[in-house]
Amino acid sequence: MSELAGANLNQGHTTGNINYRLCDYSPDTAAPDSDNGCGAHTDYGTFSIIFQDGTPGLGIEDAKQPGRWIQVPGDATIILAGWCTVILTGGCIQATRHGVRRTPGVRRLSAVLFVAPDLDIELKPLEGFCLNRAFSDKIMTGGVDVKWFKDVMGKKWRHREGNEEPDKYEAAAQDEIIEKLVWD
Ligand SMILES: O=C(O)CCC(=O)C(=O)O
Ligand SMILES: [Fe+2]
C-alpha cells in the first residue's frame, strides 16, 4: 500500500493495533429468511484482509460508480483500505465500501484481519501527500485520534452483537457520520 500511495504508510504502526474477527453467518438466526448479513460499510483502519470459506455473499461497491455492487467470488481473499488510509494519504487512496448478503439457509464463515495505526496517532494527512480532496478543519488540525475513530466504529459492532443499546450513533448510517466529520 505504501507503494500505491507513494509514501511510507508504516509510520504510526508500531504497537500492533490489530484485531481479528471471525464471522459466522449462521442460518440459525432470529431472522432466517433475511438476506442481510452485514450492511454496507467502510472499515475504519489502515487495511483489512478478508478470508472467506468459499461461500459467496461479499460485495464491494464500485468506487467509480457508487451504487453499483460487484460480487466477490467466495474463494477470493481480498485486501480493502479503510478510513485511516484515506485520511493519512490525503485522499490518494480510497476506502472500499463493502457488505455481506446472506443466502437464507446457507452458512458462511469469514475471518477478517483489521490492521490500524496506533491508538494515539492523530488522523491527518501525512507529510509527503498532496491533498487529493479537502478535509475538514477538525481533521487538518489533528482533532481526531485513532482511538476515537475505533470507538465510534466499534459501537456499531457491539450493538449488532447485542452487547450495547443503540444510541444516537445508530440513528444515522455509520459512514455518513464519518464522512461528515472527515470532509465537511
Ligand atoms: O464477512 C465478511 O466477508 C466481511 C465482514 C466485514 O466486512 C467486517 O467484519 O468488517
Ligand atoms: Fe468490513
Side-chain angles (χ1 to χ4, degrees):
M1 284 220 334
S2 292
E3 226 165 89
L4 271 182
N8 182 9
L9 267 178
N10 287 351
Q11 51 186 304
H13 294 74
T14 62
T15 58
N17 181 16
I18 292 172
N19 291 271
Y20 194 53
R21 168 182 286 271
L22 296 169
C23 308
D24 183 349
Y25 301 89
S26 168
D28 190 12
T29 154
D33 297 330
S34 166
D35 71 349
N36 184 23
C38 170
H41 68 283
T42 306
D43 292 346
Y44 95 95
T46 310
F47 64 87
S48 312
I49 308 179
I50 304 178
F51 303 90
Q52 309 180 84
D53 71 347
T55 312
L58 177 65
I60 56 175
E61 191 174 24
D62 186 342
K64 295 205 176 75
Q65 291 180 56
R68 177 173 174 261
W69 285 80
I70 301 161
Q71 294 311 305
V72 176
D75 57 358
T77 295
I78 63 167
I79 302 184
L80 304 172
W83 273 112
C84 289
T85 289
V86 176
I87 300 172
L88 294 174
T89 64
C92 289
I93 293 189
Q94 293 185 43
T96 311
R97 254 160 78 85
H98 55 284
V100 176
R101 292 258 156 241
R102 297 171 56 243
T103 304
V106 176
R107 188 180 190 190
R108 177 178 179 277
L109 299 169
S110 65
V112 191
L113 187 77
F114 300 95
V115 176
D118 303 339
L119 290 175
D120 60 353
I121 293 289
E122 287 176 353
L123 284 170
K124 57 184 178 188
L126 293 170
E127 286 191 19
F129 288 104
C130 56
L131 280 187
N132 206 31
R133 185 173 167 182
F135 286 86
S136 66
D137 286 347
K138 185 151 188 182
I139 292 289
M140 293 309 286
T141 54
V144 176
D145 65 12
V146 173
K147 181 175 185 313
W148 184 91
F149 233 67
K150 187 175 186 175
D151 286 349
V152 171
M153 300 302 273
K155 272 178 186 291
K156 180 176 74 170
W157 289 113
R158 289 195 296 274
H159 170 48
R160 187 172 291 158
E161 289 163 350
N163 293 325
E164 187 159 315
E165 287 302 312
D167 65 9
K168 64 182 184 323
Y169 280 119
E170 265 71 43
Q174 206 82 18
D175 279 339
E176 275 170 35
I177 296 167
I178 302 292
E179 279 181 19
K180 220 172 152 30
L181 170 95
V182 171
W183 308 122
D184 288 352

Short mmCIF file of all heavy atoms in Angstrom, two decimals, residues 7 20 25 35 41-43 52 64 77 104 106 117 123 134 142-144 148 153 161-162 164 169 177:
data_model
loop_
_atom_site.label_atom_id
_atom_site.label_comp_id
_atom_site.label_asym_id
_atom_site.label_seq_id
_atom_site.Cartn_x
_atom_site.Cartn_y
_atom_site.Cartn_z
N ALA A 7 4.25 6.90 -0.53
CA ALA A 7 4.89 7.37 0.70
C ALA A 7 4.79 6.26 1.74
O ALA A 7 3.98 5.34 1.59
CB ALA A 7 4.22 8.64 1.21
N TYR A 20 -8.73 -9.30 15.06
CA TYR A 20 -9.08 -10.43 14.21
C TYR A 20 -10.52 -10.80 14.53
O TYR A 20 -10.87 -10.98 15.70
CB TYR A 20 -8.14 -11.59 14.57
CG TYR A 20 -8.12 -12.71 13.59
CD1 TYR A 20 -7.89 -12.49 12.23
CD2 TYR A 20 -8.31 -14.02 14.02
CE1 TYR A 20 -7.86 -13.54 11.34
CE2 TYR A 20 -8.27 -15.08 13.12
CZ TYR A 20 -8.03 -14.83 11.79
OH TYR A 20 -7.99 -15.87 10.90
N TYR A 25 -22.05 -16.43 9.71
CA TYR A 25 -23.39 -16.07 9.20
C TYR A 25 -24.20 -17.36 9.22
O TYR A 25 -24.29 -18.08 8.23
CB TYR A 25 -23.29 -15.48 7.80
CG TYR A 25 -22.41 -14.23 7.74
CD1 TYR A 25 -21.04 -14.34 7.50
CD2 TYR A 25 -22.95 -12.96 7.93
CE1 TYR A 25 -20.23 -13.21 7.45
CE2 TYR A 25 -22.15 -11.83 7.89
CZ TYR A 25 -20.79 -11.97 7.65
OH TYR A 25 -19.99 -10.85 7.61
N ASP A 35 -31.84 -11.70 4.05
CA ASP A 35 -30.55 -11.86 3.36
C ASP A 35 -29.53 -10.85 3.88
O ASP A 35 -28.44 -10.72 3.34
CB ASP A 35 -30.72 -11.73 1.84
CG ASP A 35 -31.02 -10.30 1.40
OD1 ASP A 35 -31.30 -9.44 2.27
OD2 ASP A 35 -30.95 -10.04 0.19
N HIS A 41 -20.72 -0.86 4.55
CA HIS A 41 -19.90 -0.06 5.47
C HIS A 41 -18.47 0.03 4.94
O HIS A 41 -18.08 -0.69 4.03
CB HIS A 41 -19.89 -0.69 6.87
CG HIS A 41 -19.16 -2.00 6.91
ND1 HIS A 41 -19.71 -3.17 6.45
CD2 HIS A 41 -17.90 -2.32 7.30
CE1 HIS A 41 -18.84 -4.16 6.58
NE2 HIS A 41 -17.72 -3.66 7.09
N THR A 42 -17.71 0.91 5.57
CA THR A 42 -16.29 1.05 5.27
C THR A 42 -15.55 0.78 6.57
O THR A 42 -15.91 1.31 7.61
CB THR A 42 -16.01 2.51 4.81
OG1 THR A 42 -16.88 2.80 3.72
CG2 THR A 42 -14.58 2.67 4.35
N ASP A 43 -14.52 -0.06 6.53
CA ASP A 43 -13.78 -0.36 7.76
C ASP A 43 -13.00 0.87 8.21
O ASP A 43 -12.70 1.76 7.42
CB ASP A 43 -12.84 -1.55 7.54
CG ASP A 43 -13.63 -2.84 7.32
OD1 ASP A 43 -14.84 -2.87 7.60
OD2 ASP A 43 -13.03 -3.83 6.86
N GLN A 52 -12.31 -15.93 3.22
CA GLN A 52 -13.66 -16.50 3.14
C GLN A 52 -13.59 -18.02 3.06
O GLN A 52 -12.57 -18.58 2.67
CB GLN A 52 -14.37 -15.99 1.90
CG GLN A 52 -14.36 -14.48 1.71
CD GLN A 52 -15.09 -14.08 0.44
OE1 GLN A 52 -16.29 -13.96 0.44
NE2 GLN A 52 -14.34 -13.93 -0.63
N LYS A 64 -15.98 3.95 -8.79
CA LYS A 64 -16.24 4.86 -9.91
C LYS A 64 -17.73 5.01 -10.19
O LYS A 64 -18.16 5.96 -10.83
CB LYS A 64 -15.54 4.35 -11.17
CG LYS A 64 -14.02 4.34 -11.04
CD LYS A 64 -13.35 4.42 -12.42
CE LYS A 64 -11.85 4.52 -12.29
NZ LYS A 64 -11.23 3.22 -11.92
N THR A 77 -9.55 -14.05 -1.48
CA THR A 77 -9.10 -13.35 -0.27
C THR A 77 -8.81 -11.92 -0.70
O THR A 77 -8.08 -11.71 -1.67
CB THR A 77 -7.84 -14.02 0.29
OG1 THR A 77 -8.19 -15.33 0.71
CG2 THR A 77 -7.28 -13.25 1.47
N PRO A 104 -30.40 -17.25 2.55
CA PRO A 104 -31.10 -17.94 3.64
C PRO A 104 -30.85 -19.45 3.60
O PRO A 104 -30.89 -20.07 2.53
CB PRO A 104 -32.57 -17.58 3.39
CG PRO A 104 -32.49 -16.23 2.72
CD PRO A 104 -31.27 -16.30 1.84
N VAL A 106 -28.05 -20.94 4.16
CA VAL A 106 -26.66 -21.28 3.87
C VAL A 106 -25.74 -20.62 4.90
O VAL A 106 -25.81 -19.42 5.14
CB VAL A 106 -26.25 -20.81 2.45
CG1 VAL A 106 -24.78 -21.08 2.18
CG2 VAL A 106 -27.14 -21.48 1.40
N PRO A 117 -3.58 2.05 12.60
CA PRO A 117 -2.47 2.76 13.23
C PRO A 117 -2.59 2.69 14.76
O PRO A 117 -3.64 2.33 15.30
CB PRO A 117 -2.67 4.22 12.76
CG PRO A 117 -3.62 4.17 11.62
CD PRO A 117 -4.48 2.96 11.87
N LEU A 123 -5.24 11.58 13.36
CA LEU A 123 -5.56 11.25 11.97
C LEU A 123 -5.61 12.49 11.10
O LEU A 123 -6.62 13.20 11.06
CB LEU A 123 -6.90 10.51 11.91
CG LEU A 123 -6.83 9.06 12.34
CD1 LEU A 123 -8.21 8.47 12.48
CD2 LEU A 123 -5.98 8.26 11.36
N ALA A 134 -10.22 18.19 -0.15
CA ALA A 134 -10.13 19.00 1.08
C ALA A 134 -10.74 18.25 2.27
O ALA A 134 -11.82 17.66 2.16
CB ALA A 134 -10.86 20.32 0.87
N GLY A 142 -5.69 17.97 13.52
CA GLY A 142 -5.34 16.82 14.36
C GLY A 142 -6.31 16.59 15.51
O GLY A 142 -5.93 16.08 16.56
N GLY A 143 -7.58 16.94 15.28
CA GLY A 143 -8.57 16.84 16.35
C GLY A 143 -9.17 15.45 16.57
O GLY A 143 -9.98 15.26 17.48
N VAL A 144 -8.77 14.49 15.76
CA VAL A 144 -9.34 13.15 15.89
C VAL A 144 -8.20 12.14 15.97
O VAL A 144 -7.31 12.15 15.12
CB VAL A 144 -10.20 12.82 14.65
CG1 VAL A 144 -10.72 11.39 14.71
CG2 VAL A 144 -11.36 13.80 14.52
N TRP A 148 -10.49 7.41 19.06
CA TRP A 148 -11.85 7.95 18.91
C TRP A 148 -12.56 7.25 17.74
O TRP A 148 -13.69 6.82 17.84
CB TRP A 148 -11.79 9.46 18.67
CG TRP A 148 -13.16 10.09 18.61
CD1 TRP A 148 -13.86 10.60 19.65
CD2 TRP A 148 -13.99 10.21 17.45
NE1 TRP A 148 -15.08 11.05 19.22
CE2 TRP A 148 -15.19 10.83 17.87
CE3 TRP A 148 -13.85 9.87 16.11
CZ2 TRP A 148 -16.24 11.11 16.98
CZ3 TRP A 148 -14.89 10.14 15.22
CH2 TRP A 148 -16.07 10.76 15.67
N MET A 153 -16.62 3.41 15.56
CA MET A 153 -16.92 2.29 14.68
C MET A 153 -17.28 1.03 15.48
O MET A 153 -18.12 0.25 15.08
CB MET A 153 -15.70 1.97 13.79
CG MET A 153 -15.26 3.12 12.91
SD MET A 153 -16.55 3.72 11.80
CE MET A 153 -16.33 2.64 10.41
N GLU A 161 -24.06 -7.12 17.84
CA GLU A 161 -23.88 -8.37 18.57
C GLU A 161 -24.74 -8.41 19.83
O GLU A 161 -24.70 -9.36 20.58
CB GLU A 161 -22.40 -8.51 18.96
CG GLU A 161 -21.51 -8.82 17.76
CD GLU A 161 -20.04 -8.57 18.04
OE1 GLU A 161 -19.74 -7.98 19.11
OE2 GLU A 161 -19.23 -8.94 17.21
N GLY A 162 -25.52 -7.35 20.05
CA GLY A 162 -26.43 -7.34 21.19
C GLY A 162 -25.78 -6.93 22.49
O GLY A 162 -26.36 -7.08 23.56
N GLU A 164 -24.67 -3.80 23.22
CA GLU A 164 -24.81 -2.38 23.56
C GLU A 164 -26.13 -1.86 23.00
O GLU A 164 -26.53 -2.20 21.89
CB GLU A 164 -23.65 -1.59 22.96
CG GLU A 164 -23.63 -0.15 23.41
CD GLU A 164 -22.23 0.45 23.24
OE1 GLU A 164 -21.26 -0.20 23.62
OE2 GLU A 164 -22.16 1.57 22.74
N TYR A 169 -25.62 7.37 17.74
CA TYR A 169 -24.76 6.97 16.65
C TYR A 169 -25.44 5.96 15.72
O TYR A 169 -25.13 5.87 14.55
CB TYR A 169 -23.46 6.37 17.17
CG TYR A 169 -22.48 7.41 17.57
CD1 TYR A 169 -22.02 7.49 18.88
CD2 TYR A 169 -22.01 8.33 16.65
CE1 TYR A 169 -21.13 8.46 19.26
CE2 TYR A 169 -21.12 9.31 17.02
CZ TYR A 169 -20.68 9.37 18.32
OH TYR A 169 -19.80 10.33 18.69
N ILE A 177 -21.82 9.53 9.29
CA ILE A 177 -21.23 10.25 10.42
C ILE A 177 -19.75 10.52 10.14
O ILE A 177 -19.24 11.62 10.33
CB ILE A 177 -21.36 9.43 11.72
CG1 ILE A 177 -22.83 9.26 12.09
CG2 ILE A 177 -20.59 10.06 12.86
CD1 ILE A 177 -23.07 8.24 13.16
#
